[in-house]
Amino acid sequence: YFKCPPGAYLNNTAETKKKKMERLVALQAKLKDMGYVENERSAYKAEYSDRGYATYESPVWLKPEECSTLPDEDWTSEYNAWYYQYQPDHAPSYITKQVYSEYNFEFHDNWKVASTSFSSYLPCEYGTFDKVSESESVTDGYMTAAPVRYPVSRFVSAVGELMERSMNHYCPAGYCGSSDSYDNETLWKLTHQTTWYPMMCNETKLVYNETAEHWMTVPDCEFDEDRFPEIVKAFVHDKKCNYYFYAAEHFVSQSAFVTQNDGCASDLDTVIRLEELDDGLAELAAKVGKVQSCDMGDSNSASNKPGGLPSESATMEILKQTPSLMKDICMIYAQDFICFDYELPSECEGLF
């Protein structure tokens, strides 16, 4: 099960696929030597067996033994015994993919990879599309395309998103609401399902302010910059253990996101690396026989957000200043580094 998502994307050949699989298998051997183990508790609704390949979120992907224990076992036993306790190994079941029948391809969103911008660009470029469940089979003869991003940058972006949601109650489309699965229990659950939220705020009461038209923490919490390195460490720890919590899907491996169909994974034809966006968009257009006519902008910039929280560059700096944390990130997202041809940061050279 330790291999890349199937397909000839990024000029994959039989030989490069074989080498990538060998690296992934060797990584598992290294993890075993480190004392890492399978976590049977994370098997709830796992899809790796049917899909044909595992990801970091799969129960067979080895993790530290300590991760078999949740942040608050007593709370889990009383309030969350029969729901997700660990993040499942697939794209969220409620998302939809875009099917462009005029050009015979479908696009798979990958959260924290300019998904808001892609949702504006693609209809401009390719016209109307059908929203289809991520579980639907790929139509015969249709190509599939998905975007990816440098794994460390995507993790950093996800940290920023969870801080915005929990501290500022702010989501990509504006202040969080019911459409974002945000309610008066969100912070209460985060307190018991994570190690990072209690470091940011010890308040869990959310009250909806009718005048301001958004949720507010009562009493208000102010971010403590001095604790930020500890908070980043806790975010890394919670992803390392693959805990389930509100919006944890933003940390899910990109290798899990790019496959969006039930059963055996369909081949992925085009991978658009965000760092080479223009080339990727041009490749997709050429494959479907379209002359490009639209530009892709940034519709989820930091300037739109309330602020008062550390920047993504500040999060990245902490990772760089703490090589052990950067190495953890590289190990967590090793599959994404290997399968999507990303070079490891200097802190991780020779790691796998």
Side-chain angles (χ1 to χ4, degrees):
Y1 292 112
F2 303 111
K3 52 190 173 182
C4 294
Y9 52 89
L10 299 176
N11 299 313
N12 261 341
T13 64
E15 182 62 25
T16 58
K17 289 179 187 178
K18 181 171 179 281
K19 288 181 177 179
K20 290 177 179 180
M21 185 169 70
E22 288 172 351
R23 289 181 70 188
L24 290 169
V25 171
L27 172 64
Q28 292 300 312
K30 180 173 183 175
L31 295 176
K32 187 174 183 180
D33 289 342
M34 292 168 61
Y36 284 22
V37 297
E38 293 186 16
N39 181 4
E40 294 180 0
R41 296 183 70 182
S42 65
Y44 181 60
K45 294 196 174 181
E47 294 185 0
Y48 72 94
S49 180
D50 291 339
R51 183 176 55 210
Y53 70 91
T55 66
Y56 187 80
E57 295 75 23
S58 300
V60 293
W61 201 287
L62 305 182
K63 300 177 186 70
E65 190 171 2
E66 67 184 75
C67 296
S68 297
T69 301
L70 295 164
D72 189 335
E73 291 285 0
D74 291 339
W75 181 90
T76 300
S77 178
E78 183 171 358
Y79 296 103
N80 197 45
W82 307 109
Y83 194 58
Y84 294 112
Q85 296 168 4
Y86 294 88
Q87 185 63 32
D89 66 346
H90 52 82
S93 58
Y94 51 82
I95 67 171
T96 57
K97 50 189 180 180
Q98 302 174 29
V99 179
Y100 293 87
S101 55
E102 185 176 349
Y103 293 95
N104 290 5
F105 82 94
E106 62 179 48
F107 182 83
H108 300 173
D109 263 334
N110 179 8
W111 287 355
K112 306 316 299 174
V113 188
S115 52
T116 307
S117 298
F118 273 111
S119 68
S120 299
Y121 167 78
L122 291 167
C124 173
E125 193 70 78
Y126 298 105
T128 57
F129 64 90
D130 294 320
K131 281 187 177 181
V132 177
S133 167
E134 61 85 29
S135 63
E136 289 290 319
S137 298
V138 178
T139 303
D140 288 344
Y142 275 47
M143 293 193 305
T144 59
V148 297
R149 181 181 185 181
Y150 182 58
V152 183
S153 298
R154 182 171 175 266
F155 173 82
V156 165
S157 181
V159 169
E161 170 123 350
L162 266 293
M163 289 196 300
E164 284 287 349
R165 287 177 181 242
S166 59
M167 292 294 286
N168 289 335
H169 322 302
Y170 199 81
C171 290
Y175 280 101
C176 302
S178 58
S179 61
D180 306 293
S181 302
Y182 204 90
D183 59 29
N184 63 338
E185 293 188 344
T186 298
L187 301 186
W188 172 64
K189 292 177 180 177
L190 283 175
T191 296
H192 298 284
Q193 292 179 310
T194 74
T195 65
W196 57 263
Y197 179 73
M199 291 185 182
M200 290 206 305
C201 180
N202 58 7
E203 303 295 340
T204 63
K205 184 178 180 180
L206 276 171
V207 174
Y208 191 79
N209 186 316
E210 297 288 350
T211 303
E213 298 184 334
H214 62 77
W215 291 100
M216 298 181 68
T217 308
V218 179
D220 192 23
C221 265
E222 289 190 14
F223 190 83
D224 184 352
E225 292 279 355
D226 292 338
R227 299 203 71 182
F228 189 44
E230 294 179 73
I231 292 168
V232 173
K233 182 178 180 180
F235 267 110
V236 174
H237 170 272
D238 289 5
K239 177 54 195 173
K240 189 175 183 178
C241 284
N242 194 42
Y243 295 146
Y244 174 85
F245 50 85
Y246 171 72
E249 56 269 25
H250 292 84
F251 294 97
V252 168
S253 302
Q254 299 179 81
S255 296
F257 254 98
V258 296
T259 291
Q260 295 182 17
N261 64 270
D262 277 353
C264 187
S266 295
D267 279 5
L268 183 62
D269 298 288
T270 301
V271 163
I272 301 170
R273 301 206 322 173
L274 196 59
E275 298 77 16
E276 298 152 1
L277 180 62
D278 291 343
D279 290 343
L281 295 178
E283 177 189 341
L284 175 60
K287 283 183 176 179
V288 302
K290 172 79 166 60
V291 177
Q292 283 183 270
S293 58
C294 295
D295 294 320
M296 184 164 142
D298 181 5
S299 53
N300 189 20
S301 65
S303 61
N304 299 328
K305 299 170 184 175
L309 295 170
S311 65
E312 291 186 10
S313 60
T315 306
M316 183 69 80
E317 190 61 29
I318 288 174
L319 293 177
K320 288 182 174 295
Q321 291 174 352
T322 318
S324 61
L325 291 183
M326 185 67 87
K327 288 178 180 177
D328 280 343
I329 294 298
C330 291
M331 294 291 269
I332 291 167
Y333 295 114
Q335 186 176 29
D336 292 344
F337 276 105
I338 292 170
C339 296
F340 304 128
D341 297 342
Y342 281 109
E343 290 187 10
L344 290 170
S346 59
E347 296 84 357
C348 299
E349 285 182 5
L351 200 56
F352 52 80

